[in-house]
Amino acid sequence: MSEILGSLWWLIISIGLLVTFHEFGHFWVARRCGVKVLRFSIGFGKPLWMRVGKDGTEYAIGRIPLGGYVKMLDEREYEIGEALKPHAFNRKPVWQRIAIVFAGPAANLILCVAFLWGMFVIGRPDFAPVVGSSAGIAAEAGLRRGDTVEAIGERATPTWSEVQMALIPHALDREDVAVKVRAQNGSQQTRTLRLSQLPAGFDERRVVQVIGLGGRHELIPALVGRVEPDSAAWRVLAEGDRITALDGDPIASWNDLPAAVAKLGERGGKAMIEVLRNGDRLALEIQPRQMKRDDGETFWGLGVAVAAPTPPQRDAVLRYGPVAAVPAAFREGWHQAGELFAMIGRAFTGRVSLQNTVAGPVTIGRAANAYASNGPAWYLQLLAMLSLSLGILNLLPIPILDGGHLLYYLIELVKGSPVSERVMAAGHFVGLALIASLMGLAFYNDILNNLVR
C-alpha cells in the first residue's frame, strides 16, 4: 500500500473510531436521561448508508468521514407535539444537559486509558535508552556513549522513546534538567543538561538532535560498501569488511571513522587498520590521503563508502501485565493530559511555534500510517494520544464545542435561568470564527510541513 493510500486509510479508521466513541458517549447518556435521539451519524453529508432502529433513531454513515454528530429532539429547532416535549433535550434539567454534553469528551478520556492499557499489555517494541553519541550540550553534561538513561527529571525512561518525550517539555521551557544514568561500569550517576543554553529559535521538531544526543541504535555499523579505485583503501580493504580499529583506536561505528582518519592523517605515516572479513580478524597497513569534496574542500580519507545500513533491531519492550497495566495506563494518561495542557499554554504565550502544535489531517494521516506500520502497540499509543487530544480540546470553553455548551450551562446554574438566545448566537459566531481559524492554521501547517518539502 502506498504512503498516500495508507495515510488516507489509517486517517479514516482513526478519526472514525474516535468520533464514533465520542458521539456514542453523548448518545448513551442522552438515552439514559430520557432524551429522544433522532440521528446518530458517523461522518457528515448525505448518508452512504442508513437504517432506522427499533427505537426510532436513524443510524447513518455520511459521505465525509471526518466527524460525526448526534441529533437530539429539541423544540428550539422546530415545533414538536406535546407528547414528545418531555423527551426534548432543552426540557431536561440543567444537570442532565451537562451530563449529556460532558459524556462525549469523557468517552474519549476513557478510550485513551483503554488504548494505553492495550498498548502496555501487548508490549510496545522500542530501543534501549542507551547513548550512542554525545555532542554539544549532552557532551558538556558528561553523557557518554554506553550510558543508560534511567530517568529525565522525575520521569522514568525505560525506552529511547521515553527519553525523547521526556526531554521535549524541558527543552521547550529552556529549563535545566537532571538526568539519571547508569554508566558502563554499572555506577549510578546524575548529570545536568543545561537546556537553558539552547539557542533561540531552535528546531522544536529536532529537540534531541539539537541537544546533541543520539541513541545507540542510530549508530551506523562501520561496514565497507564500496572501495574507490586508486584510493588509500584500494587493494587493502574489500566490500563487506567491518572496520573495528584504526591505529589502535576502536571503531564502534561509521560515525567514529572520520575523526580517527583525520587524526591519523595529521600524524602522518602508515598505521594498522583492523577488520573482520568473512569471520577472520585481519590487521592491514593503510595510510590516509588528502581528498577533495564536491565543494573543493580537502579532508583526510581512505576512499571507502559505507554499506547501506540495515534497519536496527528493537532491543527493548515497554510492557506490563494485565493488572499492572491498569494503574500504568491511568498514570500515563494523567501525565500526557498535563503535557497537553502545558503545550496549549506554551502556544498561547508564544513559547512554542503554532506550526508545531496544530496538526491537520495530512499530518495525522501520515502519523497514523507510520505508527500502524510499527505494529499494533504503537498504533494504540497514537490512538490514545489522539483520543486524549480530542477529549481535552472539546472541553475548551469555545462556543460550538462541548466546552462552550458546558460554560453556558454553568452560567445557567449560577444565574438560575438559561443564557439568552442573543448571547448564544453571538457566542456561536465567535466560536465558528475561532474554529475556522484553527482549521485554517491546521491546513496551513499541513502544507508547510508535508507538501512543501
Side-chain angles (χ1 to χ4, degrees):
M1 185 182 294
S2 70
E3 182 182 0
I4 294 177
L5 290 178
S7 298
L8 179 61
W9 167 256
W10 288 112
L11 173 67
I12 293 173
I13 294 297
S14 303
I15 298 300
L17 181 61
L18 299 182
V19 169
T20 298
F21 210 80
H22 178 97
E23 298 303 331
F24 180 77
H26 292 309
F27 172 80
W28 190 83
V29 175
R31 294 286 298 275
R32 295 304 176 277
C33 291
V35 174
K36 181 174 178 57
V37 178
L38 303 177
R39 175 176 289 186
F40 182 105
S41 178
I42 304 304
F44 298 108
K46 187 176 180 180
L48 292 173
W49 172 89
M50 185 174 69
R51 75 175 183 86
V52 179
K54 294 180 179 179
D55 53 4
T57 301
E58 296 177 345
Y59 298 90
I61 298 177
R63 291 189 175 185
I64 304 174
L66 302 179
Y69 62 93
V70 170
K71 185 177 182 181
M72 290 174 274
L73 187 68
D74 194 322
E75 60 184 328
R76 293 172 298 182
E77 298 182 14
Y78 38 74
E79 292 187 8
I80 59 178
E82 289 295 328
L84 290 176
K85 285 184 178 181
H87 301 288
F89 174 80
N90 64 291
R91 288 291 185 108
K92 295 299 178 181
V94 64
W95 67 267
Q96 288 191 350
R97 283 177 276 143
I98 290 175
I100 293 169
V101 171
F102 181 74
N108 282 123
L109 300 181
I110 294 170
L111 193 61
C112 168
V113 174
F115 282 143
L116 289 172
W117 179 86
M119 178 198 73
F120 286 133
V121 171
I122 293 173
R124 193 194 70 200
D126 210 321
F127 298 107
V130 180
V131 176
S133 60
S134 179
I137 293 175
E140 292 172 5
L143 292 173
R144 298 290 180 264
R145 176 181 293 179
D147 287 348
T148 299
V149 182
E150 297 186 328
I152 304 289
E154 299 300 320
R155 183 158 174 80
T157 53
T159 71
W160 189 255
S161 293
E162 269 64 45
V163 172
Q164 294 176 305
M165 295 304 298
L167 284 173
I168 290 174
H170 296 289
L172 294 178
D173 292 334
R174 287 179 170 79
E175 61 181 14
D176 299 341
V177 62
V179 180
K180 297 177 183 178
V181 302
R182 185 177 71 253
Q184 285 185 295
N185 61 11
S187 63
Q188 304 284 332
Q189 303 171 1
T190 300
R191 308 295 188 190
T192 300
L193 280 173
R194 304 295 180 185
L195 301 183
S196 56
Q197 300 176 1
L198 282 169
F202 71 90
D203 190 344
E204 298 160 355
R205 295 166 296 182
R206 301 180 63 254
V207 165
V208 178
Q209 292 83 351
V210 174
I211 292 171
L213 198 58
R216 180 179 63 186
H217 60 282
E218 297 172 335
L219 296 175
I220 301 172
L223 195 64
V224 176
R226 187 180 73 255
V227 180
E228 297 291 342
D230 300 321
S231 65
W234 184 247
R235 300 188 186 282
V236 178
L237 300 179
E239 181 179 338
D241 285 352
R242 187 184 186 101
I243 302 172
T244 58
L246 178 62
D247 196 26
D249 293 331
I251 304 296
S253 74
W254 192 265
N255 310 59
D256 299 331
L257 197 58
V261 172
K263 176 183 175 183
L264 177 58
E266 294 295 337
R267 192 202 72 185
K270 297 181 179 180
M272 305 305 293
I273 186 168
E274 300 176 26
V275 302
L276 285 175
R277 180 182 296 170
N278 299 324
D280 297 325
R281 187 175 297 275
L282 305 177
L284 308 168
E285 196 173 62
I286 199 168
Q287 182 176 1
R289 297 178 187 173
Q290 283 279 354
M291 303 180 69
K292 282 189 176 182
R293 295 189 174 92
D294 294 338
D295 59 4
E297 183 182 355
T298 60
F299 68 100
W300 290 102
L302 300 180
V304 293
V306 64
T310 57
Q313 296 295 315
R314 300 183 188 273
D315 52 0
V317 178
L318 182 61
R319 177 184 287 129
Y320 293 96
V323 176
V326 174
F330 277 99
R331 285 196 305 269
E332 183 64 17
W334 180 260
H335 173 78
Q336 293 300 333
E339 291 298 325
L340 181 57
F341 277 117
M343 189 63 74
I344 294 173
R346 294 186 189 101
F348 275 107
T349 56
R351 286 182 293 157
V352 65
S353 171
L354 288 174
Q355 177 184 340
N356 299 322
T357 54
V358 181
V362 175
T363 300
I364 295 173
R366 287 170 60 90
N369 186 43
Y371 274 68
S373 299
N374 284 329
W378 279 96
Y379 183 56
L380 286 175
Q381 181 184 31
L382 177 68
L383 287 177
M385 297 306 99
L386 290 176
S387 189
L388 177 67
S389 299
L390 181 61
I392 289 179
L393 292 178
N394 261 284
L395 287 174
L396 294 179
I398 299 176
I400 83 170
L401 293 182
D402 292 331
H405 292 292
L406 290 175
L407 178 62
Y408 290 147
Y409 299 146
L410 290 175
I411 293 174
E412 181 179 341
L413 277 176
V414 173
K415 67 190 290 281
S417 61
V419 176
S420 68
E421 294 290 339
R422 183 176 179 181
V423 171
M424 291 185 67
H428 277 66
F429 179 79
V430 172
L432 282 171
L434 288 173
I435 295 301
S437 300
L438 193 63
M439 291 178 63
L441 177 62
F443 281 108
Y444 172 78
N445 287 344
D446 271 349
I447 295 172
L448 194 65
N449 295 331
N450 297 287
L451 303 182
V452 180
R453 295 191 293 175

